[in-house]
Amino acid sequence: MTLQRMDNVGIVVEDLDAAIAFFTELGMELEGKAEIEGRWADLTVGLDGIRCVIAMMRIPDGHGRLELAQYYAPAAIGAAPPAPNTLGLHRVMFAVDDIDDTIARLRPHGAELLGEVARYEDSYRLCYLRGPVGIIIGLAEQLG
């Protein structure tokens, strides 16, 4: 059997509406929202009594999605925000047309630049931002 595609990356958030606003400002589109609960959800995730709301955010070209989830039961478990070198899921990188404009638009939604916007040779301008619930996103602006 062959891998077909990467369907989505899941992110648990404290405030679903704020996370939707953040990723909408980044340029993603809300594909839909759904309440998730029931035995099938418990079996899939490996937790009992799941009750959450998810929002599927689609990348404009339609080839990738983020699944944002706000858990009501069992309650979400807090953790320290990851650093760029924390083991596990590192970050999600997005290609953007204008990195400076994107940063400016995301700051009112809580985005914090982790370092600086850096130039990689004559190819890219790159940066990492901390977004909702401390997740790290990367931005890449292709030069030339």
Side-chain angles (χ1 to χ4, degrees):
M1 178 164 259
T2 303
L3 180 68
Q4 295 177 358
R5 69 181 178 277
M6 185 187 79
D7 190 68
N8 68 68
V9 173
I11 301 172
V12 177
V13 299
E14 291 175 316
D15 183 337
L16 187 60
D17 292 332
I20 291 169
F22 179 90
F23 287 105
T24 298
E25 189 63 47
L26 181 59
M28 298 184 82
E29 300 171 19
L30 178 63
E31 190 173 86
K33 289 172 77 173
E35 293 184 20
I36 304 298
E37 60 185 326
R39 185 74 181 136
W40 71 269
D42 294 354
L43 290 171
T44 301
V45 178
L47 295 171
D48 291 325
I50 286 180
R51 189 170 58 80
C52 71
V53 176
I54 64 166
M56 294 302 289
M57 302 296 296
R58 182 179 52 244
I59 294 172
D61 71 4
H63 293 291
R65 298 185 297 178
L66 293 181
E67 179 185 293
L68 307 174
Q70 182 173 353
Y71 275 79
Y72 297 100
I77 298 169
N85 62 341
T86 301
L87 294 174
L89 183 62
H90 178 142
R91 52 116 178 102
V92 179
M93 178 73 77
F94 296 95
V96 298
D97 292 331
D98 183 336
I99 202 166
D100 297 313
D101 176 65
T102 303
I103 293 167
R105 289 186 298 104
L106 292 177
R107 282 189 195 269
H109 296 277
E112 298 175 32
L113 199 57
L114 290 185
E116 299 178 17
V117 176
R119 186 179 179 120
Y120 174 69
E121 299 177 349
D122 291 328
S123 301
Y124 289 96
R125 293 180 70 219
L126 304 159
C127 72
Y128 283 2
L129 297 172
R130 192 171 300 283
V133 194
I135 65 161
I136 297 171
I137 67 166
L139 302 177
E141 175 187 343
Q142 189 167 5
L143 300 173

